[in-house]
Amino acid sequence: MSGLKLIDVSKSYGATRVLDGVSLAIAPREFIAFLGPSGSGKSTLLRIIAGLESLDAGEVRLGGARIDTLAPGARGIAMVFQHYALYPHMTVRENMAFGLVNAHVPKDEIARRIAQAAEILEITAQLDKKPAQMSGGQRQRVAIGRAIVKQPQLFLLDEPLSNLDAALRNRTRVELAQLRNRVDAALIMVTHDQAEAMTLADRIVIINDRRIQQVGTPAEVYARPANAFVARFVGSPAMAMLPATLDGAEGGRVQARLAEGTMLRTAVPTRGLEQGAAVEIGLRPEHVTLAAPGAEGLPARVELVERLGDRTFIYARLAGGPEIIAHAPGFSQVRPGDEVRLAIDAAAAHIFAADGTAHHPDARP
Amino acid sequence: MTTAAGAWRERLAGYAFVGPFLAVYAAVLVVPLIMGLYISLNNADLFGRREWVGLANYVQAMGDPVLHQALGNTLVLALLIVPPLTAIALMLALALNRPGRLAAVLRGVFFSSLVLSVTIVTLIWRFILVPDAGLIAEGLEALGRPPIPFLSDPDLVIPAIAVTTLWWSLGFPIMLLLAGLQQVPGDIYEAAALDGASRWTVLRRITLPAIRRTLLLVVMLQTAAQLQIFGQAQLLTGGGPGGASRTIVLYIFEVSFGRWELGYATAIAELLFGMILTLTLLQYWLVTRHEEPRP
């Protein structure tokens, strides 16, 4: 059985194009996150899959059959809405049964499925309550339960954690991870929170500006972002981007000169890069540290210090303006306004060409 | 000192806001209600004569055949008006609850009849209903059929008044129901679509339960309004023929301003008030008794 396939899906609202030729294949039982900023088109794509929006061009196939021409209820898809969308005048049990009754599932089968889902989600005691009598977290479980009992081929989760407070969010994240093991279906979660996407998904689909920017495992999109947008969007704090000029090569690896003159020997192959081109050097905080006293390093002025307990992020500005983020272990004593020297692991640097295309370092020898 | 003075000022400001309404409310509603109760226990006329008779007026009402006929007419009218009015208003509200210019224009059209006074409404319907040269009569004549005397046939006069009232009263319930429908969050309709609910199921299980309080409000307001139906009957038929379209309020009007029996008229008015209060509270109880108390 094949999973979900999107073939060249496009969508416009009036003259505004929101999705442009999106193609994607998702395996059965795969957990996918659609990650992107607000207005990127990720929710529209989810709603097109659900059948709540029509598409202008393209196809949606699920389990080998074309579904974009079917009514939402006939697609074998269940959705957990951002604001849960529980039926307020129905009890939890009626909420969960509604879709099954409409599908003419036999009564005892409905009762069996509800009992099972309620037990998994620990809402058995709440089955005869109305949504208004429940907390946000419980309502979320009901919404998930309503999706589970339908035994769909595909679950759609629209910003499932955005309405929960921080403590509940972490717990629900664990529960969502468990959910995917219990259900025999693919899951697609829409989120703008990259931490959710990184921790939950098998693969992340990064969407921006009407298009898919990259599809990859969390490790791939983090270590080998396809372009400057993905590099900036994935990772927290974000990757620093330093303007530089390509200036020679050594052993097939590019050398780049930063604006203030420092030469970096990167591990990026020369293939596809032109000498003298203006590029950006991408550096994650974990590859920038404070230089040992007396050692060489890039001079920078500290602007902001984030102490997280186990490590400290140092937001600094290089001579000439570009911002860079360094990390230090534990509780650093550095203060805003300090002049520091930064040691850069040039072998981990990424290079982004003027059009945004990424060039990654080769694996180290 | 200053805080006490501040609190006093704040309280005064509160009373100043509520005061004008309370004064008007008391003057035009509470005081007349109590005065009415007192007058209904007297033989009274419009010149201020009061003669204590106890419950005699109420006893007279119990045995008054004209009142009984008026009560029957009024109840039949309410039954002919309130259920169809609610149903038609609901259908129109469901149809008009959508974006778009046409729906907006039609919302205005249906609301517009509401701003007409009863005089205009009865005038319009007179042009439609009268047997000589009325709109319906002309139509029937074109088909070679005799005109129908809507306003002088005792069997047709009540339905004629009911139709006139339906036409006139649709606007406000439509507005109330549209407001109710717009309160329903859109995502539960999307959830219902994914749950494979048919249009009929969505109406029955999602929409109607979501607006049941608005529906109750419409029914209560319309029941209270139609039990006091007066202008249409007075202007279309004057209660005729032979009292076939005399309503309770029309009878009250005749007794007080025609026969000058203010005490008896007031007693009937108090009885009507009690009946309306009982019926609307009964409706409220029937609809809300299974609901949990609202937070």
Side-chain angles (χ1 to χ4, degrees), chain A residues 1-6 23-34 45 49 61-63 153-156 185-189 202-203 205 215:
Chain A
M1 190 180 85
S2 55
L4 180 79
K5 242 195 187 95
L6 303 179
S23 295
L24 179 68
I26 295 172
R29 296 186 56 94
E30 196 174 14
F31 195 150
I32 293 288
F34 286 178
L45 189 55
I49 297 170
R61 307 181 75 88
L62 180 62
Q153 286 187 59
L154 174 65
F155 279 92
L156 304 178
L187 285 94
I188 299 177
M189 171 179 76
D202 299 326
R203 285 194 299 158
V205 177
V215 182

PDB file of all heavy atoms in Angstrom, chain A residues 1-6 23-34 45 49 61-63 153-156 185-189 202-203 205 215:
ATOM      1  N   MET A   1       0.848  -1.196   0.000  1.00  0.00           N
ATOM      2  CA  MET A   1       0.000   0.000   0.000  1.00  0.00           C
ATOM      3  C   MET A   1       0.883   1.245   0.000  1.00  0.00           C
ATOM      4  O   MET A   1       1.851   1.321   0.738  1.00  0.00           O
ATOM      5  CB  MET A   1      -0.878  -0.018   1.244  1.00  0.00           C
ATOM      6  CG  MET A   1      -1.955   1.032   1.209  1.00  0.00           C
ATOM      7  SD  MET A   1      -2.973   0.962   2.693  1.00  0.00           S
ATOM      8  CE  MET A   1      -2.027   1.948   3.814  1.00  0.00           C
ATOM      9  N   SER A   2       0.531   2.199  -0.837  1.00  0.00           N
ATOM     10  CA  SER A   2       1.340   3.419  -0.863  1.00  0.00           C
ATOM     11  C   SER A   2       0.688   4.487   0.000  1.00  0.00           C
ATOM     12  O   SER A   2      -0.501   4.432   0.278  1.00  0.00           O
ATOM     13  CB  SER A   2       1.493   3.903  -2.303  1.00  0.00           C
ATOM     14  OG  SER A   2       0.225   4.071  -2.878  1.00  0.00           O
ATOM     15  N   GLY A   3       1.466   5.438   0.400  1.00  0.00           N
ATOM     16  CA  GLY A   3       0.970   6.477   1.301  1.00  0.00           C
ATOM     17  C   GLY A   3       0.340   7.633   0.553  1.00  0.00           C
ATOM     18  O   GLY A   3      -0.405   7.442  -0.408  1.00  0.00           O
ATOM     19  N   LEU A   4       0.660   8.840   0.998  1.00  0.00           N
ATOM     20  CA  LEU A   4       0.082  10.042   0.392  1.00  0.00           C
ATOM     21  C   LEU A   4       1.019  10.569  -0.689  1.00  0.00           C
ATOM     22  O   LEU A   4       2.236  10.581  -0.520  1.00  0.00           O
ATOM     23  CB  LEU A   4      -0.108  11.112   1.462  1.00  0.00           C
ATOM     24  CG  LEU A   4      -0.707  12.431   0.969  1.00  0.00           C
ATOM     25  CD1 LEU A   4      -2.202  12.311   0.798  1.00  0.00           C
ATOM     26  CD2 LEU A   4      -0.372  13.569   1.907  1.00  0.00           C
ATOM     27  N   LYS A   5       0.418  10.961  -1.796  1.00  0.00           N
ATOM     28  CA  LYS A   5       1.209  11.556  -2.880  1.00  0.00           C
ATOM     29  C   LYS A   5       0.578  12.872  -3.302  1.00  0.00           C
ATOM     30  O   LYS A   5      -0.599  12.926  -3.627  1.00  0.00           O
ATOM     31  CB  LYS A   5       1.213  10.602  -4.079  1.00  0.00           C
ATOM     32  CG  LYS A   5       2.591  10.107  -4.433  1.00  0.00           C
ATOM     33  CD  LYS A   5       2.624   9.473  -5.812  1.00  0.00           C
ATOM     34  CE  LYS A   5       3.973   8.839  -6.057  1.00  0.00           C
ATOM     35  NZ  LYS A   5       3.997   7.401  -5.725  1.00  0.00           N
ATOM     36  N   LEU A   6       1.367  13.926  -3.287  1.00  0.00           N
ATOM     37  CA  LEU A   6       0.927  15.195  -3.848  1.00  0.00           C
ATOM     38  C   LEU A   6       1.646  15.375  -5.171  1.00  0.00           C
ATOM     39  O   LEU A   6       2.861  15.198  -5.235  1.00  0.00           O
ATOM     40  CB  LEU A   6       1.284  16.370  -2.927  1.00  0.00           C
ATOM     41  CG  LEU A   6       0.745  16.328  -1.502  1.00  0.00           C
ATOM     42  CD1 LEU A   6       1.218  17.546  -0.725  1.00  0.00           C
ATOM     43  CD2 LEU A   6      -0.766  16.284  -1.522  1.00  0.00           C
ATOM     44  N   SER A  23       4.955  19.099  -4.954  1.00  0.00           N
ATOM     45  CA  SER A  23       4.925  17.640  -5.083  1.00  0.00           C
ATOM     46  C   SER A  23       5.609  17.021  -3.884  1.00  0.00           C
ATOM     47  O   SER A  23       6.608  17.550  -3.387  1.00  0.00           O
ATOM     48  CB  SER A  23       5.632  17.200  -6.369  1.00  0.00           C
ATOM     49  OG  SER A  23       4.931  17.678  -7.486  1.00  0.00           O
ATOM     50  N   LEU A  24       5.052  15.893  -3.435  1.00  0.00           N
ATOM     51  CA  LEU A  24       5.578  15.295  -2.211  1.00  0.00           C
ATOM     52  C   LEU A  24       5.060  13.867  -2.117  1.00  0.00           C
ATOM     53  O   LEU A  24       3.929  13.591  -2.492  1.00  0.00           O
ATOM     54  CB  LEU A  24       5.080  16.108  -1.002  1.00  0.00           C
ATOM     55  CG  LEU A  24       5.484  15.665   0.396  1.00  0.00           C
ATOM     56  CD1 LEU A  24       6.983  15.870   0.585  1.00  0.00           C
ATOM     57  CD2 LEU A  24       4.721  16.472   1.440  1.00  0.00           C
ATOM     58  N   ALA A  25       5.893  12.957  -1.629  1.00  0.00           N
ATOM     59  CA  ALA A  25       5.444  11.576  -1.392  1.00  0.00           C
ATOM     60  C   ALA A  25       5.703  11.225   0.060  1.00  0.00           C
ATOM     61  O   ALA A  25       6.784  11.493   0.586  1.00  0.00           O
ATOM     62  CB  ALA A  25       6.180  10.615  -2.318  1.00  0.00           C
ATOM     63  N   ILE A  26       4.689  10.677   0.715  1.00  0.00           N
ATOM     64  CA  ILE A  26       4.792  10.322   2.125  1.00  0.00           C
ATOM     65  C   ILE A  26       4.502   8.842   2.265  1.00  0.00           C
ATOM     66  O   ILE A  26       3.508   8.342   1.712  1.00  0.00           O
ATOM     67  CB  ILE A  26       3.800  11.151   2.969  1.00  0.00           C
ATOM     68  CG1 ILE A  26       4.182  12.627   2.908  1.00  0.00           C
ATOM     69  CG2 ILE A  26       3.753  10.653   4.396  1.00  0.00           C
ATOM     70  CD1 ILE A  26       3.161  13.541   3.541  1.00  0.00           C
ATOM     71  N   ALA A  27       5.350   8.126   2.989  1.00  0.00           N
ATOM     72  CA  ALA A  27       5.179   6.686   3.139  1.00  0.00           C
ATOM     73  C   ALA A  27       4.068   6.394   4.143  1.00  0.00           C
ATOM     74  O   ALA A  27       3.765   7.222   4.999  1.00  0.00           O
ATOM     75  CB  ALA A  27       6.487   6.068   3.617  1.00  0.00           C
ATOM     76  N   PRO A  28       3.427   5.198   4.049  1.00  0.00           N
ATOM     77  CA  PRO A  28       2.462   4.817   5.074  1.00  0.00           C
ATOM     78  C   PRO A  28       3.162   4.796   6.436  1.00  0.00           C
ATOM     79  O   PRO A  28       4.316   4.388   6.519  1.00  0.00           O
ATOM     80  CB  PRO A  28       2.033   3.406   4.678  1.00  0.00           C
ATOM     81  CG  PRO A  28       2.491   3.218   3.289  1.00  0.00           C
ATOM     82  CD  PRO A  28       3.636   4.134   3.059  1.00  0.00           C
ATOM     83  N   ARG A  29       2.510   5.235   7.473  1.00  0.00           N
ATOM     84  CA  ARG A  29       3.035   5.242   8.841  1.00  0.00           C
ATOM     85  C   ARG A  29       4.159   6.242   9.060  1.00  0.00           C
ATOM     86  O   ARG A  29       4.814   6.221  10.096  1.00  0.00           O
ATOM     87  CB  ARG A  29       3.496   3.852   9.269  1.00  0.00           C
ATOM     88  CG  ARG A  29       2.375   2.818   9.327  1.00  0.00           C
ATOM     89  CD  ARG A  29       2.879   1.505   9.891  1.00  0.00           C
ATOM     90  NE  ARG A  29       3.478   1.697  11.202  1.00  0.00           N
ATOM     91  CZ  ARG A  29       2.841   1.544  12.351  1.00  0.00           C
ATOM     92  NH1 ARG A  29       1.585   1.191  12.350  1.00  0.00           N
ATOM     93  NH2 ARG A  29       3.442   1.745  13.500  1.00  0.00           N
ATOM     94  N   GLU A  30       4.385   7.117   8.102  1.00  0.00           N
ATOM     95  CA  GLU A  30       5.435   8.112   8.301  1.00  0.00           C
ATOM     96  C   GLU A  30       4.871   9.311   9.061  1.00  0.00           C
ATOM     97  O   GLU A  30       3.705   9.670   8.896  1.00  0.00           O
ATOM     98  CB  GLU A  30       5.991   8.570   6.952  1.00  0.00           C
ATOM     99  CG  GLU A  30       7.318   9.292   7.077  1.00  0.00           C
ATOM    100  CD  GLU A  30       7.941   9.613   5.725  1.00  0.00           C
ATOM    101  OE1 GLU A  30       7.248   9.515   4.707  1.00  0.00           O
ATOM    102  OE2 GLU A  30       9.119   9.966   5.711  1.00  0.00           O
ATOM    103  N   PHE A  31       5.685   9.928   9.906  1.00  0.00           N
ATOM    104  CA  PHE A  31       5.279  11.141  10.631  1.00  0.00           C
ATOM    105  C   PHE A  31       5.993  12.323   9.986  1.00  0.00           C
ATOM    106  O   PHE A  31       7.205  12.418  10.011  1.00  0.00           O
ATOM    107  CB  PHE A  31       5.661  11.039  12.112  1.00  0.00           C
ATOM    108  CG  PHE A  31       4.973  12.051  12.999  1.00  0.00           C
ATOM    109  CD1 PHE A  31       4.695  11.726  14.340  1.00  0.00           C
ATOM    110  CD2 PHE A  31       4.595  13.295  12.545  1.00  0.00           C
ATOM    111  CE1 PHE A  31       4.062  12.639  15.171  1.00  0.00           C
ATOM    112  CE2 PHE A  31       3.958  14.214  13.358  1.00  0.00           C
ATOM    113  CZ  PHE A  31       3.701  13.885  14.680  1.00  0.00           C
ATOM    114  N   ILE A  32       5.181  13.192   9.390  1.00  0.00           N
ATOM    115  CA  ILE A  32       5.723  14.318   8.629  1.00  0.00           C
ATOM    116  C   ILE A  32       5.331  15.622   9.313  1.00  0.00           C
ATOM    117  O   ILE A  32       4.207  15.756   9.798  1.00  0.00           O
ATOM    118  CB  ILE A  32       5.126  14.316   7.197  1.00  0.00           C
ATOM    119  CG1 ILE A  32       5.611  13.105   6.416  1.00  0.00           C
ATOM    120  CG2 ILE A  32       5.441  15.604   6.462  1.00  0.00           C
ATOM    121  CD1 ILE A  32       7.057  13.179   6.003  1.00  0.00           C
ATOM    122  N   ALA A  33       6.243  16.555   9.367  1.00  0.00           N
ATOM    123  CA  ALA A  33       5.897  17.894   9.851  1.00  0.00           C
ATOM    124  C   ALA A  33       5.982  18.875   8.695  1.00  0.00           C
ATOM    125  O   ALA A  33       6.950  18.859   7.942  1.00  0.00           O
ATOM    126  CB  ALA A  33       6.840  18.308  10.970  1.00  0.00           C
ATOM    127  N   PHE A  34       4.927  19.687   8.542  1.00  0.00           N
ATOM    128  CA  PHE A  34       5.001  20.827   7.626  1.00  0.00           C
ATOM    129  C   PHE A  34       5.460  22.012   8.459  1.00  0.00           C
ATOM    130  O   PHE A  34       4.734  22.467   9.342  1.00  0.00           O
ATOM    131  CB  PHE A  34       3.631  21.160   7.032  1.00  0.00           C
ATOM    132  CG  PHE A  34       3.152  20.195   5.981  1.00  0.00           C
ATOM    133  CD1 PHE A  34       1.895  20.365   5.398  1.00  0.00           C
ATOM    134  CD2 PHE A  34       3.942  19.144   5.545  1.00  0.00           C
ATOM    135  CE1 PHE A  34       1.439  19.495   4.430  1.00  0.00           C
ATOM    136  CE2 PHE A  34       3.487  18.265   4.574  1.00  0.00           C
ATOM    137  CZ  PHE A  34       2.231  18.438   4.018  1.00  0.00           C
ATOM    138  N   LEU A  45      -1.984  23.862   2.418  1.00  0.00           N
ATOM    139  CA  LEU A  45      -1.659  22.540   1.881  1.00  0.00           C
ATOM    140  C   LEU A  45      -2.365  21.450   2.698  1.00  0.00           C
ATOM    141  O   LEU A  45      -2.942  20.512   2.148  1.00  0.00           O
ATOM    142  CB  LEU A  45      -0.135  22.343   1.897  1.00  0.00           C
ATOM    143  CG  LEU A  45       0.382  21.113   1.179  1.00  0.00           C
ATOM    144  CD1 LEU A  45      -0.093  21.078  -0.258  1.00  0.00           C
ATOM    145  CD2 LEU A  45       1.910  21.068   1.222  1.00  0.00           C
ATOM    146  N   ILE A  49      -5.303  18.771   1.432  1.00  0.00           N
ATOM    147  CA  ILE A  49      -5.270  17.310   1.623  1.00  0.00           C
ATOM    148  C   ILE A  49      -6.565  16.853   2.295  1.00  0.00           C
ATOM    149  O   ILE A  49      -7.150  15.837   1.938  1.00  0.00           O
ATOM    150  CB  ILE A  49      -4.036  16.913   2.462  1.00  0.00           C
ATOM    151  CG1 ILE A  49      -2.752  17.277   1.716  1.00  0.00           C
ATOM    152  CG2 ILE A  49      -4.068  15.426   2.791  1.00  0.00           C
ATOM    153  CD1 ILE A  49      -1.500  17.151   2.551  1.00  0.00           C
ATOM    154  N   ARG A  61      -3.222  11.896  -3.988  1.00  0.00           N
ATOM    155  CA  ARG A  61      -3.535  10.468  -3.985  1.00  0.00           C
ATOM    156  C   ARG A  61      -3.225   9.903  -2.606  1.00  0.00           C
ATOM    157  O   ARG A  61      -2.238  10.287  -1.983  1.00  0.00           O
ATOM    158  CB  ARG A  61      -2.715   9.730  -5.059  1.00  0.00           C
ATOM    159  CG  ARG A  61      -2.848  10.330  -6.447  1.00  0.00           C
ATOM    160  CD  ARG A  61      -2.029   9.547  -7.462  1.00  0.00           C
ATOM    161  NE  ARG A  61      -2.661   8.296  -7.809  1.00  0.00           N
ATOM    162  CZ  ARG A  61      -3.556   8.161  -8.788  1.00  0.00           C
ATOM    163  NH1 ARG A  61      -3.896   9.208  -9.527  1.00  0.00           N
ATOM    164  NH2 ARG A  61      -4.103   7.003  -9.035  1.00  0.00           N
ATOM    165  N   LEU A  62      -4.103   9.010  -2.152  1.00  0.00           N
ATOM    166  CA  LEU A  62      -3.871   8.375  -0.856  1.00  0.00           C
ATOM    167  C   LEU A  62      -4.132   6.886  -1.022  1.00  0.00           C
ATOM    168  O   LEU A  62      -5.180   6.490  -1.532  1.00  0.00           O
ATOM    169  CB  LEU A  62      -4.804   8.969   0.209  1.00  0.00           C
ATOM    170  CG  LEU A  62      -4.666   8.405   1.628  1.00  0.00           C
ATOM    171  CD1 LEU A  62      -3.286   8.658   2.197  1.00  0.00           C
ATOM    172  CD2 LEU A  62      -5.722   9.008   2.544  1.00  0.00           C
ATOM    173  N   GLY A  63      -3.159   6.056  -0.601  1.00  0.00           N
ATOM    174  CA  GLY A  63      -3.314   4.615  -0.737  1.00  0.00           C
ATOM    175  C   GLY A  63      -3.540   4.199  -2.175  1.00  0.00           C
ATOM    176  O   GLY A  63      -4.267   3.248  -2.459  1.00  0.00           O
ATOM    177  N   GLN A 153      -6.461   6.431   7.215  1.00  0.00           N
ATOM    178  CA  GLN A 153      -5.154   6.144   6.634  1.00  0.00           C
ATOM    179  C   GLN A 153      -4.168   7.254   6.917  1.00  0.00           C
ATOM    180  O   GLN A 153      -2.965   7.083   6.805  1.00  0.00           O
ATOM    181  CB  GLN A 153      -5.275   6.005   5.109  1.00  0.00           C
ATOM    182  CG  GLN A 153      -5.921   4.734   4.636  1.00  0.00           C
ATOM    183  CD  GLN A 153      -5.817   4.647   3.129  1.00  0.00           C
ATOM    184  OE1 GLN A 153      -4.724   4.662   2.571  1.00  0.00           O
ATOM    185  NE2 GLN A 153      -6.947   4.571   2.470  1.00  0.00           N
ATOM    186  N   LEU A 154      -4.726   8.428   7.241  1.00  0.00           N
ATOM    187  CA  LEU A 154      -3.866   9.599   7.397  1.00  0.00           C
ATOM    188  C   LEU A 154      -4.451  10.513   8.474  1.00  0.00           C
ATOM    189  O   LEU A 154      -5.632  10.826   8.455  1.00  0.00           O
ATOM    190  CB  LEU A 154      -3.779  10.352   6.059  1.00  0.00           C
ATOM    191  CG  LEU A 154      -3.046  11.687   6.039  1.00  0.00           C
ATOM    192  CD1 LEU A 154      -1.572  11.498   6.360  1.00  0.00           C
ATOM    193  CD2 LEU A 154      -3.210  12.361   4.689  1.00  0.00           C
ATOM    194  N   PHE A 155      -3.598  10.918   9.418  1.00  0.00           N
ATOM    195  CA  PHE A 155      -3.978  11.899  10.428  1.00  0.00           C
ATOM    196  C   PHE A 155      -3.431  13.259  10.042  1.00  0.00           C
ATOM    197  O   PHE A 155      -2.260  13.364   9.661  1.00  0.00           O
ATOM    198  CB  PHE A 155      -3.346  11.560  11.780  1.00  0.00           C
ATOM    199  CG  PHE A 155      -4.051  10.516  12.555  1.00  0.00           C
ATOM    200  CD1 PHE A 155      -3.696   9.186  12.425  1.00  0.00           C
ATOM    201  CD2 PHE A 155      -5.057  10.853  13.437  1.00  0.00           C
ATOM    202  CE1 PHE A 155      -4.339   8.216  13.141  1.00  0.00           C
ATOM    203  CE2 PHE A 155      -5.705   9.878  14.160  1.00  0.00           C
ATOM    204  CZ  PHE A 155      -5.347   8.559  14.012  1.00  0.00           C
ATOM    205  N   LEU A 156      -4.248  14.279  10.165  1.00  0.00           N
ATOM    206  CA  LEU A 156      -3.754  15.633   9.969  1.00  0.00           C
ATOM    207  C   LEU A 156      -3.858  16.371  11.303  1.00  0.00           C
ATOM    208  O   LEU A 156      -4.910  16.353  11.942  1.00  0.00           O
ATOM    209  CB  LEU A 156      -4.591  16.356   8.907  1.00  0.00           C
ATOM    210  CG  LEU A 156      -4.668  15.664   7.546  1.00  0.00           C
ATOM    211  CD1 LEU A 156      -5.576  16.457   6.618  1.00  0.00           C
ATOM    212  CD2 LEU A 156      -3.286  15.513   6.939  1.00  0.00           C
ATOM    213  N   ALA A 185      -1.185   4.453  10.565  1.00  0.00           N
ATOM    214  CA  ALA A 185      -1.514   5.511   9.613  1.00  0.00           C
ATOM    215  C   ALA A 185      -0.349   6.480   9.533  1.00  0.00           C
ATOM    216  O   ALA A 185       0.517   6.506  10.409  1.00  0.00           O
ATOM    217  CB  ALA A 185      -2.776   6.261  10.054  1.00  0.00           C
ATOM    218  N   ALA A 186      -0.343   7.248   8.468  1.00  0.00           N
ATOM    219  CA  ALA A 186       0.632   8.328   8.365  1.00  0.00           C
ATOM    220  C   ALA A 186       0.108   9.542   9.118  1.00  0.00           C
ATOM    221  O   ALA A 186      -1.099   9.695   9.300  1.00  0.00           O
ATOM    222  CB  ALA A 186       0.874   8.666   6.901  1.00  0.00           C
ATOM    223  N   LEU A 187       1.009  10.377   9.603  1.00  0.00           N
ATOM    224  CA  LEU A 187       0.609  11.597  10.296  1.00  0.00           C
ATOM    225  C   LEU A 187       1.273  12.796   9.634  1.00  0.00           C
ATOM    226  O   LEU A 187       2.454  12.747   9.299  1.00  0.00           O
ATOM    227  CB  LEU A 187       1.042  11.573  11.764  1.00  0.00           C
ATOM    228  CG  LEU A 187       0.269  10.698  12.734  1.00  0.00           C
ATOM    229  CD1 LEU A 187       0.943   9.353  12.861  1.00  0.00           C
ATOM    230  CD2 LEU A 187       0.193  11.369  14.081  1.00  0.00           C
ATOM    231  N   ILE A 188       0.486  13.849   9.459  1.00  0.00           N
ATOM    232  CA  ILE A 188       1.064  15.119   9.016  1.00  0.00           C
ATOM    233  C   ILE A 188       0.707  16.166  10.049  1.00  0.00           C
ATOM    234  O   ILE A 188      -0.462  16.329  10.405  1.00  0.00           O
ATOM    235  CB  ILE A 188       0.527  15.561   7.650  1.00  0.00           C
ATOM    236  CG1 ILE A 188       0.871  14.532   6.589  1.00  0.00           C
ATOM    237  CG2 ILE A 188       1.121  16.924   7.269  1.00  0.00           C
ATOM    238  CD1 ILE A 188       0.308  14.877   5.221  1.00  0.00           C
ATOM    239  N   MET A 189       1.729  16.837  10.552  1.00  0.00           N
ATOM    240  CA  MET A 189       1.508  17.875  11.548  1.00  0.00           C
ATOM    241  C   MET A 189       1.963  19.208  10.958  1.00  0.00           C
ATOM    242  O   MET A 189       3.057  19.307  10.416  1.00  0.00           O
ATOM    243  CB  MET A 189       2.315  17.552  12.802  1.00  0.00           C
ATOM    244  CG  MET A 189       2.343  18.642  13.827  1.00  0.00           C
ATOM    245  SD  MET A 189       3.297  18.154  15.284  1.00  0.00           S
ATOM    246  CE  MET A 189       4.956  18.332  14.667  1.00  0.00           C
ATOM    247  N   ASP A 202       9.487  12.207  11.452  1.00  0.00           N
ATOM    248  CA  ASP A 202      10.483  11.420  10.734  1.00  0.00           C
ATOM    249  C   ASP A 202      11.153  12.283   9.674  1.00  0.00           C
ATOM    250  O   ASP A 202      12.358  12.234   9.488  1.00  0.00           O
ATOM    251  CB  ASP A 202       9.828  10.224  10.037  1.00  0.00           C
ATOM    252  CG  ASP A 202       9.164   9.287  11.018  1.00  0.00           C
ATOM    253  OD1 ASP A 202       9.697   9.143  12.133  1.00  0.00           O
ATOM    254  OD2 ASP A 202       8.117   8.723  10.674  1.00  0.00           O
ATOM    255  N   ARG A 203      10.317  13.018   8.977  1.00  0.00           N
ATOM    256  CA  ARG A 203      10.850  13.945   7.985  1.00  0.00           C
ATOM    257  C   ARG A 203      10.141  15.288   8.122  1.00  0.00           C
ATOM    258  O   ARG A 203       8.967  15.345   8.486  1.00  0.00           O
ATOM    259  CB  ARG A 203      10.642  13.399   6.560  1.00  0.00           C
ATOM    260  CG  ARG A 203      11.599  12.280   6.207  1.00  0.00           C
ATOM    261  CD  ARG A 203      11.603  11.994   4.727  1.00  0.00           C
ATOM    262  NE  ARG A 203      10.281  11.578   4.263  1.00  0.00           N
ATOM    263  CZ  ARG A 203       9.894  11.672   2.991  1.00  0.00           C
ATOM    264  NH1 ARG A 203      10.704  12.183   2.078  1.00  0.00           N
ATOM    265  NH2 ARG A 203       8.687  11.264   2.633  1.00  0.00           N
ATOM    266  N   VAL A 205       9.026  18.809   6.200  1.00  0.00           N
ATOM    267  CA  VAL A 205       8.819  19.481   4.923  1.00  0.00           C
ATOM    268  C   VAL A 205       8.819  20.974   5.219  1.00  0.00           C
ATOM    269  O   VAL A 205       7.917  21.479   5.888  1.00  0.00           O
ATOM    270  CB  VAL A 205       7.481  19.063   4.287  1.00  0.00           C
ATOM    271  CG1 VAL A 205       7.243  19.829   2.987  1.00  0.00           C
ATOM    272  CG2 VAL A 205       7.457  17.563   4.047  1.00  0.00           C
ATOM    273  N   VAL A 215      12.842  18.834   1.867  1.00  0.00           N
ATOM    274  CA  VAL A 215      12.239  17.700   2.554  1.00  0.00           C
ATOM    275  C   VAL A 215      13.378  16.849   3.072  1.00  0.00           C
ATOM    276  O   VAL A 215      14.260  16.468   2.314  1.00  0.00           O
ATOM    277  CB  VAL A 215      11.368  16.856   1.604  1.00  0.00           C
ATOM    278  CG1 VAL A 215      10.712  15.714   2.370  1.00  0.00           C
ATOM    279  CG2 VAL A 215      10.323  17.713   0.927  1.00  0.00           C
TER     280      VAL A 215
END
